[in-house]
Amino acid sequence: MSAKKLTGNEIRQKFLDFYAQREHAILPSASLVPEDPTVLLTIAGMLPFKPIFLGQQPRKYPRATTSQKCIRTNDIENVGRTARHHTFFEMLGNFSFGDYFKPEAIAFAWELSTKTFGLPPDRLVVSVFREDDEAFAIWRDQIGIPAHRIQRMGEEDNFWASGPTGPCGPCSEIYYDFHPELGDENIDLEDDSRFIEFYNLVFMQYNRDAQGNLTPLENRNIDTGMGLERMAQILQKVPNNYETDLIFPIIKTAADIAGIDYGKSDDKTKVSLKVIGDHVRAVANLIADGVTASNVGRGYILRRLIRRVVRHGRLIGISGEFTSKV
Ligand code: GLY
């Protein structure tokens, strides 16, 4: 079995179709401007569903699937410098609102990864929350993953929450191994030159209050996130997310305007081109969702992103107006 070379659009469609065939309603992406007042921007695929997880809104469907536009700016300085930090990205997700739970979520994720996307099982390593014996047993006994390829990890890595308060729960992640020749003896999932985490399955079963107390939610839910750009990097066999067909055309346009060749550029120039490729997607999608540049709130985020695009354009020698072209 070998991984299937797919475009970003094909990956998105295959994900949504897979879950639609398993009785999930395909819902459109919500706006980047969230209804949730606790965050400035939509930061995760689950955000539009937070009131359902918290029992504040009735569910319309027991199961849903989306490709959600997201923006996170907490790691903005890493954008372009690492293989996979972004401001804008699409989070593919499948959600259960008090319907299926761990066994089904894990089985679906495994089938999608290995059959639909054709990732070889021996290239996949999974993590579970340190105390989650149930998830560990499902991966080992139901899916058949050797125990040494199921890593137990702490709260920092494997307990997911959308913010300091709100719905949360232990999670289980699937990683792709770029270097299986290094062997199973020294699996270190923190080594991002070897492993990429591409699918996070959150077993959303608690609400955390401002004092940090966990209260079980009325329902046990599933919230997942598969980074579209990450799956594209794996399936398109490129060295980073920026060189996927989702982002590279923007980089190529900027490079053409600057009269440079990305492939022959030094690292500093590549960083600038990657920053432009990343930020332009954030800027275009923020404007499409009605955000205007300003000095405060999300308007300031937009302004900062535009300024960074212009600055990196100047750094690679573009002197005139260029943002509308990219
Ligand atoms: N909500 C799951 C994630 O963003 O990874």
Side-chain angles (χ1 to χ4, degrees):
M1 194 185 304
S2 67
K4 300 175 183 171
K5 185 154 189 199
L6 299 172
T7 65
N9 284 341
E10 287 169 337
I11 295 168
R12 185 191 303 105
Q13 197 58 52
K14 278 187 183 289
F15 184 99
L16 297 173
D17 288 347
F18 177 91
Y19 282 105
Q21 284 153 13
R22 286 154 188 79
E23 292 153 17
H24 291 63
I26 301 182
L27 302 181
S29 173
S31 170
L32 284 169
V33 179
E35 286 179 20
D36 185 329
T38 66
V39 280
L40 280 179
L41 295 168
T42 299
I43 50 156
M46 56 72 71
L47 205 72
F49 305 119
K50 211 168 135 184
I52 304 176
F53 290 138
L54 290 173
Q56 297 163 344
Q57 245 177 40
R59 67 178 197 195
K60 288 201 191 110
Y61 317 89
R63 303 175 177 196
T65 183
T66 59
S67 177
Q68 176 62 50
K69 301 175 266 190
C70 298
I71 292 193
R72 292 183 192 171
T73 53
N74 47 332
D75 279 324
I76 194 166
E77 298 299 338
N78 283 329
V79 171
R81 296 176 199 281
T82 68
R84 55 195 76 119
H85 274 100
H86 295 296
T87 56
F88 177 87
F89 57 94
E90 278 181 77
M91 190 69 100
L92 300 166
N94 54 290
F95 304 92
S96 153
F97 309 115
D99 188 27
Y100 63 84
F101 201 49
K102 289 182 194 179
E104 298 87 348
I106 289 174
F108 287 157
W110 187 254
E111 186 185 350
L112 175 72
S113 303
T114 58
K115 301 263 168 22
T116 306
F117 293 133
L119 300 180
D122 59 4
R123 285 256 186 160
L124 302 181
V125 178
V126 301
S127 68
V128 296
F129 181 50
R130 200 178 34 225
E131 286 146 41
D132 194 347
D133 295 333
E134 190 189 355
F136 189 98
I138 294 168
W139 281 116
R140 187 192 52 199
D141 305 335
Q142 184 184 311
I143 306 294
I145 308 235
H148 68 278
R149 294 175 74 86
I150 309 169
Q151 303 271 305
R152 289 184 189 263
M153 293 175 81
E155 184 152 349
E156 214 170 276
D157 296 296
N158 277 58
F159 196 93
W160 199 90
S162 66
T165 61
C168 53
C171 62
S172 180
E173 300 172 321
I174 313 182
Y175 289 74
Y176 182 78
D177 185 355
F178 289 112
H179 294 290
E181 72 281 4
L182 296 176
D184 282 357
E185 298 77 39
N186 308 307
I187 289 177
D188 172 11
L189 295 178
E190 305 280 320
D191 174 1
D192 67 2
S193 64
R194 177 168 176 192
F195 293 104
I196 182 172
E197 179 238 314
F198 65 89
Y199 207 172
N200 185 18
L201 317 179
V202 185
F203 311 124
M204 192 69 96
Q205 61 192 106
Y206 301 109
N207 184 25
R208 184 156 37 204
D209 66 21
Q211 286 71 45
N213 303 311
L214 295 180
T215 315
L217 293 168
E218 201 177 308
N219 288 315
R220 295 193 308 172
N221 309 288
I222 292 294
D223 155 37
T224 76
M226 174 186 284
L228 174 63
E229 295 78 6
R230 292 180 178 210
M231 186 49 93
Q233 184 200 335
I234 297 168
L235 295 181
Q236 294 172 16
K237 295 189 167 51
V238 288
N240 54 64
N241 289 2
Y242 301 97
E243 293 180 42
T244 66
D245 72 329
L246 294 162
I247 305 177
F248 196 71
I250 303 168
I251 291 179
K252 171 90 173 58
T253 302
D256 288 349
I257 294 169
I260 51 185
D261 181 338
Y262 174 86
K264 295 189 184 134
S265 298
D266 59 22
D267 286 349
K268 205 162 156 271
T269 304
K270 279 189 177 156
V271 168
S272 286
L273 285 166
K274 288 173 184 169
V275 170
I276 294 170
D278 172 88
H279 288 10
V280 158
R281 299 199 323 148
V283 167
N285 281 287
L286 280 168
I287 294 172
D289 280 345
V291 179
T292 49
S294 75
N295 288 339
V296 289
R298 56 182 79 92
Y300 177 70
I301 295 176
L302 174 59
R303 191 173 114 162
R304 183 164 179 224
L305 289 164
I306 295 171
R307 284 170 58 167
R308 284 172 54 94
V309 171
V310 174
R311 189 168 77 83
H312 281 279
R314 297 290 178 262
L315 287 174
I316 58 170
I318 304 176
S319 54
E321 182 278 327
F322 74 101
T323 53
S324 61
K325 297 194 191 84
V326 288

